[in-house]
Each structure stands twice: as structure tokens, then as C-alpha cells.
Amino acid sequence: QVQLVESGGGMVQAGGSLRLSCAASGIIFSMYTVNWYRQTPGNELVASITSGGGTNYADSVKGRFTISRDNAKNTVYLQMDSLKPEDTAVYLCNAEHQWKGTYWGQGTQVTISS
């Protein structure tokens, strides 16, 4: 059974930092591209990391967020710095592979107070 579990969300003041984690089980995580989305209320793709380690960011978070992966721990991280109230959202991770399918986590709430 495949599971993606996000953690690390919470409430912080503007200018603060949070680190989100997306831990996978049941798949070889290193083979997947992993994306972080946020629901605001539509889905916005925030950051991506490929199986080769290539990264991509939405313009709204470039320079403030950093995505990384630890394949030994089957975990992808989203380091979020200089947080703004408009970053408030439910953050979800997904893992996608051209042939092996796509899987989603349940999400973690991030709330930034001004």
C-alpha cells in the first residue's frame, strides 16, 4: 500500500520559517518526481524535484522556498523561509511517474499570521 504523509505544518508569524516533510512508503520514492502543491483554494504548483534532483519553483516562492530530497529516508522536504500571509494554505505533496502512476498525500495546514 502506497502512502505519502506530509508533516511540519503549523502557524508562524510573517517572516518566519517552516520545513515541510513528505514521507513515502510502498514505492521507490527516488524514481518519482515529487511536487508540492498548495490549495488556495485552487491548486498552485509550488515546487518540484525530479528523480535526478532537478528543481523548479513557482515565481511566487522563488528565492524563499527550497525543495530537496533524501532518498535514503524516502522523504522530500520543502524549506519555507521569509513566509508571508499569502503563503497560508493546505500544502500537499504528490509523487508522479510516467508509468508507475501518481500518488497524493493528505496535506498539512500552513498558517502565516501578519
Side-chain angles (χ1 to χ4, degrees):
Q1 183 181 357
V2 178
Q3 273 194 314
L4 269 61
V5 179
E6 300 95 335
S7 61
M11 180 182 291
V12 297
Q13 289 188 327
S17 298
L18 284 172
R19 189 176 80 155
L20 306 183
S21 299
C22 173
S25 59
I27 56 174
I28 304 173
F29 210 28
S30 59
M31 299 178 69
Y32 289 72
T33 289
V34 178
N35 307 296
W36 281 100
Y37 287 84
R38 61 188 180 190
Q39 293 178 330
T40 60
N43 276 4
E44 177 188 9
L45 177 59
V46 173
S48 299
I49 187 164
T50 68
S51 57
T55 59
N56 197 31
Y57 299 92
D59 288 342
S60 58
V61 306
K62 217 170 272 186
R64 300 188 298 121
F65 290 13
T66 304
I67 190 170
S68 62
R69 67 193 308 160
D70 185 337
N71 290 331
K73 295 183 178 179
N74 253 18
T75 301
V76 166
Y77 303 98
L78 185 67
Q79 177 67 42
M80 306 188 296
D81 299 316
S82 302
L83 285 161
K84 305 175 181 179
E86 51 264 43
D87 293 319
T88 294
V90 174
Y91 284 71
L92 305 99
C93 67
N94 97 338
E96 58 182 19
H97 188 283
Q98 184 177 358
W99 303 294
K100 298 180 181 295
T102 300
Y103 303 96
W104 287 88
Q106 293 298 308
T108 185
Q109 177 69 48
V110 170
T111 304
I112 312 302
S113 61
S114 56

